[in-house]
Amino acid sequence: MAPVVRKQILVKGVVQGVGFRPHVYKLAAEYKLGGWVKNDASGVTIEAEGPRAAVEAFIKAVPARRPAAARVDSLVSRAVAPAGEKTFSITKSGGRAPAAAIIPADLALCADCRRELLAPADRRYLYPFTNCTNCGPRFTIVERVPYDRPYTTMAGFKMCPACRAEYADPLDRRFHAQPNACPVCGPSVRLEAGGKALAGPAALERTAELLIAGRIGALQSLGGFHLACRADDAAAVKKLRAAKRRPHKPFAVMAPSLAAARKLCVISPAEAAALAAPEAPVVMLRRRAGFTEPAPGLSRLGMMLPYTPLHAALFALLGRKGFAGPLVMTSGNFRDEPICKDGPDVKARLSGVAAFSLFHDRPIHNRCDDSVAYEAAGELRLARRARGYVPAAVKLPAVGPSVLACGADLKNTFCLTRGGEAFLSQHIGDLSEPLNQEFFRETLGNLRGLLKARPALTVHDLHPDYASTAIARSLPGRKLAVQHHAAHALSVAAEHGVTGPFLGVAFDGTGYGADGCIWGSEFLVFGGGTWRRAGHLKYFALPGGDIGALEIWRPALALVKDALGPDWRRRAGKLFSAIPAAKAATVERMLEAGLNCPQTSSMGRLFDAFSFISGVRTEATYEAQGPLELESLLPTRAAGAYKFGSRKVSGLLELDPAPAVRAAVADRNAGLKPGVISARLHAGLSAAASAAAVNLAREYGLKTVCLSGGVFQNRTLLELVTRKIGKAGLKVLSNRQVPASDGGLALGQAWYALKGYKPA
Ligand code: ZN
Ligand code: ZN
Ligand code: FE
């Protein structure tokens, strides 16, 4: 007889709500072990007893053969006294230890559940709330830890005997699937259209008919409402644009299947994998010709696949009724307000937009927008981190006290750290919108509760007037202000585990500078616990301040006037002819008097100016519209690159855009196409930025360069700069797990505080 041992095994990571205990149970049966497994507040605890070799093999198999949606961060085992247990069981959750357990993120409909959903003989045929341990709602329905049904918004639904049997059977796919439900016992849908109400399957049928007829509907989804309409119906999309007051801003679409998506877009293997992943983000894909309504002027289209059984059932019905195209599925909100999450919310805010509403009665506890991903420089990256990713942690390179970082005001997310992990909130949005400030506080309360985090320090942006700064100041305890671009660069360092010295290159639209100017093209040196500015784009005036992000001819006028000199009007030719003369004259006077003309090194505004100069547009209706359209003209075959000046001014490397501006104006006046100007700008800027980075890295003895800031979401720029700096033998890193934009800023703020950085 082999000697019997008993081991207690603690597993931490994403191990609850992902079928981990049934997995352990099945393994124990396979190795013929006795003992038990349970969820507790710190993860999963196992005791396993049997012959030594079998127990050892079992311990190896627990992480190695884990379920697809699980993540094992640590597994420790220790010997305990054998108890003579011959059978293995799954025991009740318990324990009051400090919560280290991680709530899983929401998981897209799995293949097994999809098959049942579409099988007419199945008891869950077209049932919009089917799920199992491999898929379904998680974060959006969780109220408290540990993740157990009574602590979710499914608490009010009592399982029928059939569901109860699945839930209790360790070998069933629905064993302890907390949101387990069926048409008999679970949530249901209700349609309200034109004063009439329908419930259940009839509601879904009618929803499909209304959508086919070109109506706009508010559909309650996983983390909030979508506004939906046929993506191929120009009139419906136009109406939606008018109602949302978004004349051009791209809308995401949902295609019925990957095959349908391929008809509209070119999809790489990595993009296809992202579309089909449990996170199921919106993926920015290269659009084939035509089908321009959802994203006018852009070469990319944000597309996702049905990720809930409700979506899958709806598309099945649409298909049966002869509609096989995609639907626009945009966030159910007004402009930049938070996404609506319940009936009263929709009635108050969306009744003027939606002709009908499809509600359900499984409450959304944590509202969570769709995530947005894109592939660039060979990696999948996130432009918006929300559903499917939150609340998964970003691993930090070191452990520290809990801190709260409040992010910035645009694309806001905040970050709570606990030990060596950083938890970013879902995308909250523009904090100048008061409803988003409420959303921030609501989410902070929820996430703090789930993580049981008590931050010792609150970090905020250096900008004194940011709403995020005001929120931070309203919270109790110690505060720390962190410069915007230092935080951008550190967001890369944090997610890549860079703890040594490095050069940060942060290009974005706007951030409060340490000198009170608006920074936005920054070369920053980090090392020895300090950071310093080593270079930047030469300051230019931003007449009227923030309005220049929409009236992009303003920064263009400032740059052109500066670059062409006193004779600029004549030399600019017809460049400003579309701008009313009185307006242009006012801006010129403002520039001459230095009135309301903050100085900026903003790369975003430089791109805006070039999109104006190239002839792409004169004004934008959403942030970065010009630059996105400019990038959409690529790849364009065009020789040449615009030159940037480069010199040292009181110890700082300064890139001067004047030569590039002069060359672009000349090209425009010579009748060259915007695509040529775009290609020459991208080539010239990437060369200038890379050379500056390489020179500064040599000067300061640095081997690593971290690229961040929203401008590096420009695929072409990121790829060119990464390649050029890499060629010089330096290591080049950029954001992957968190957005390069302000959506990832909070991670860098938190890491700044944990590392104790100070300005040099
Ligand atoms: Zn499933
Ligand atoms: Zn049931
Ligand atoms: Fe920024």
Side-chain angles (χ1 to χ4, degrees):
M1 262 304 268
V4 164
V5 298
R6 187 177 178 95
K7 292 274 178 98
Q8 185 182 74
I9 305 144
L10 305 175
V11 191
K12 289 185 185 176
V14 182
V15 291
Q16 295 188 5
V18 289
F20 206 81
R21 287 172 304 166
H23 150 70
V24 170
Y25 180 92
K26 281 180 213 165
L27 279 181
E30 187 179 322
Y31 289 100
K32 301 188 169 57
L33 305 178
W36 47 260
V37 57
K38 70 172 186 189
N39 275 350
D40 56 33
S42 64
V44 162
T45 303
I46 308 165
E47 286 202 8
E49 181 169 340
R52 178 176 300 277
V55 171
E56 295 302 333
F58 167 80
I59 291 174
K60 284 203 179 75
V62 165
R65 288 162 57 187
R66 68 188 181 277
R71 196 187 75 207
V72 173
D73 293 335
S74 74
L75 182 151
V76 290
S77 66
R78 65 183 182 97
V80 292
E85 224 171 339
K86 295 277 187 260
T87 58
F88 198 88
S89 60
I90 296 178
T91 64
K92 254 185 82 169
S93 300
R96 287 169 184 272
I102 299 165
I103 299 295
D106 300 287
L107 301 165
L109 181 68
C110 76
D112 289 331
C113 286
R114 180 186 309 272
R115 197 171 15 78
E116 291 171 355
L117 181 81
L118 301 177
D122 195 274
R123 72 187 189 94
R124 292 188 178 86
Y125 178 55
L126 298 185
Y127 178 58
F129 304 95
T130 184
N131 65 86
C132 72
T133 49
N134 300 315
C135 76
R138 299 286 188 275
F139 173 63
T140 50
I141 61 165
V142 169
E143 294 168 345
R144 291 160 57 188
V145 284
Y147 173 64
D148 259 341
R149 188 169 174 118
Y151 300 157
T152 71
T153 61
M154 284 297 292
F157 297 92
K158 195 173 178 301
M159 273 184 267
C160 70
C163 286
R164 163 74 42 202
E166 293 164 340
Y167 185 87
D169 176 0
L171 295 175
D172 193 280
R173 201 174 86 246
R174 293 191 169 84
F175 175 72
H176 281 215
Q178 306 304 342
N180 189 27
C182 78
V184 173
C185 66
S188 56
V189 290
R190 190 171 45 86
L191 174 75
E192 287 184 17
K196 288 197 205 100
L198 283 174
L204 270 188
E205 288 269 355
R206 184 76 189 124
T207 298
E209 286 162 11
L210 289 166
L211 284 169
I212 289 173
R215 300 289 203 292
I216 297 168
L219 310 183
Q220 189 169 2
S221 187
L222 196 52
F225 279 74
H226 280 124
L227 283 166
C229 71
R230 286 175 72 138
D232 63 344
D233 184 332
V237 177
K238 200 172 156 201
K239 213 167 139 194
L240 184 54
R241 290 202 173 282
K244 277 196 87 168
R245 283 177 241 138
R246 267 188 171 192
H248 308 112
K249 198 168 176 176
F251 287 150
V253 304
M254 186 181 275
S257 64
L258 190 58
R262 284 195 200 278
K263 287 190 185 140
L264 299 167
C265 296
V266 181
I267 304 178
S268 75
E271 288 165 343
L275 285 167
E279 293 86 0
V282 172
V283 183
M284 302 305 297
L285 303 172
R286 181 165 281 278
R287 186 171 49 77
R288 297 184 192 275
F291 198 65
T292 55
E293 289 302 330
L298 303 183
S299 60
R300 299 265 161 179
L301 177 63
M303 195 171 271
M304 57 186 153
L305 297 181
Y307 59 81
T308 67
L310 189 141
H311 301 144
L314 182 59
F315 274 103
L317 292 170
L318 287 166
R320 196 174 298 167
K321 292 173 195 297
F323 178 71
L327 295 176
V328 164
M329 284 278 216
T330 185
S331 305
N333 58 7
F334 258 124
R335 288 194 82 114
D336 298 319
E337 290 182 358
I339 187 166
C340 290
K341 71 167 192 171
D342 53 29
D345 213 7
V346 164
K347 280 173 188 153
R349 297 200 278 141
L350 298 182
S351 56
V353 185
F356 67 94
S357 301
L358 185 70
F359 301 104
H360 65 69
D361 54 358
R362 184 184 70 204
I364 295 166
H365 186 69
N366 299 297
R367 67 178 99 196
C368 203
D369 226 317
D370 293 319
S371 293
V372 180
Y374 61 102
E375 191 187 13
E379 304 267 8
L380 194 79
R381 298 159 195 278
L382 290 174
R384 188 203 282 158
R385 192 175 183 278
R387 178 187 50 76
Y389 296 91
V390 174
V394 175
K395 294 264 142 224
L396 293 171
V399 173
S402 176
V403 304
L404 164 67
C406 293
D409 274 20
L410 288 176
K411 302 181 173 64
N412 178 272
T413 66
F414 63 82
C415 175
L416 269 169
T417 71
R418 194 181 65 183
E421 293 179 315
F423 297 87
L424 275 92
S425 74
Q426 63 270 44
H427 167 83
I428 286 173
D430 181 353
L431 284 188
S432 66
E433 166 57 57
L435 284 173
N436 284 329
Q437 296 173 21
E438 267 176 52
F439 183 25
F440 182 108
R441 290 177 188 277
E442 166 193 313
T443 306
L444 179 59
N446 290 352
L447 216 53
R448 274 186 58 156
L450 289 179
L451 297 170
K452 304 233 189 312
R454 284 180 189 50
L457 175 71
T458 302
V459 191
H460 59 81
D461 193 274
L462 190 61
H463 201 306
D465 303 327
Y466 267 177
S468 49
T469 301
I471 292 175
R473 285 184 179 147
S474 74
L475 300 171
R478 226 152 44 82
K479 313 291 183 301
L480 175 70
V482 172
Q483 201 281 323
H484 191 91
H485 302 90
H488 269 311
L490 283 167
S491 73
V492 178
E495 66 162 288
H496 288 275
V498 177
T499 53
F502 72 94
L503 178 74
V505 181
F507 287 177
D508 70 354
T510 165
Y512 193 82
D515 59 359
C517 293
I518 303 171
W519 291 10
S521 308
E522 309 307 317
F523 297 83
L524 310 172
V525 171
F526 292 81
T530 65
W531 71 277
R532 72 176 70 229
R533 192 186 202 195
H536 62 93
L537 186 72
K538 187 182 174 191
Y539 284 142
F540 58 95
L542 195 50
D546 286 343
I547 194 172
L550 295 180
E551 295 187 12
I552 58 173
W553 60 271
R554 288 170 177 263
L557 196 150
L559 281 157
V560 167
K561 180 174 185 295
D562 202 45
L564 299 187
D567 198 18
W568 74 275
R569 275 197 172 279
R570 188 188 58 77
R571 294 176 64 192
K574 291 203 169 80
L575 194 57
F576 292 93
S577 58
I579 309 303
K583 272 183 121 177
T586 304
V587 164
E588 192 174 4
R589 275 198 304 278
M590 284 166 72
L591 284 166
E592 268 152 19
L595 215 71
N596 191 14
C597 283
Q599 294 291 303
T600 188
S601 53
S602 169
M603 187 56 76
R605 294 304 85 77
L606 185 78
F607 263 93
D608 283 336
F610 271 89
S611 61
F612 173 83
I613 294 168
S614 72
V616 162
R617 63 174 43 256
T618 54
E619 297 202 350
T621 65
Y622 62 92
E623 194 216 358
Q625 182 178 12
L628 284 169
E629 290 173 347
L630 206 56
E631 195 199 352
S632 286
L633 301 172
L634 302 179
T636 300
R637 283 190 183 280
Y642 295 142
K643 293 238 174 337
F644 283 71
S646 171
R647 60 180 187 134
K648 280 271 176 135
V649 180
S650 43
L652 291 180
L653 185 92
E654 213 176 73
L655 290 180
D656 183 359
V661 171
R662 282 193 289 271
V665 172
D667 279 355
R668 171 78 191 279
N669 286 336
L672 293 189
K673 289 208 168 78
V676 173
I677 295 177
S678 176
R680 290 178 175 170
L681 170 68
H682 282 84
L685 178 63
S686 61
S690 312
V694 170
N695 288 337
L696 288 170
R698 288 209 179 110
E699 183 181 336
Y700 288 90
L702 305 168
K703 303 253 178 296
T704 304
V705 180
C706 293
L707 310 175
S708 191
V711 172
F712 279 113
Q713 289 183 350
N714 178 316
R715 212 176 257 100
T716 308
L717 189 71
L718 179 72
E719 288 171 358
L720 289 172
V721 170
T722 299
R723 192 177 333 133
K724 285 174 205 255
I725 298 179
K727 266 194 188 157
L730 299 168
K731 189 170 174 185
V732 192
L733 301 170
S734 47
N735 294 106
R736 291 191 312 222
Q737 300 178 62
V738 304
S741 69
D742 288 4
L745 195 82
L747 177 65
Q749 292 177 334
W751 184 232
Y752 185 108
L754 288 172
K755 278 281 276 181
Y757 275 109
K758 285 183 176 54

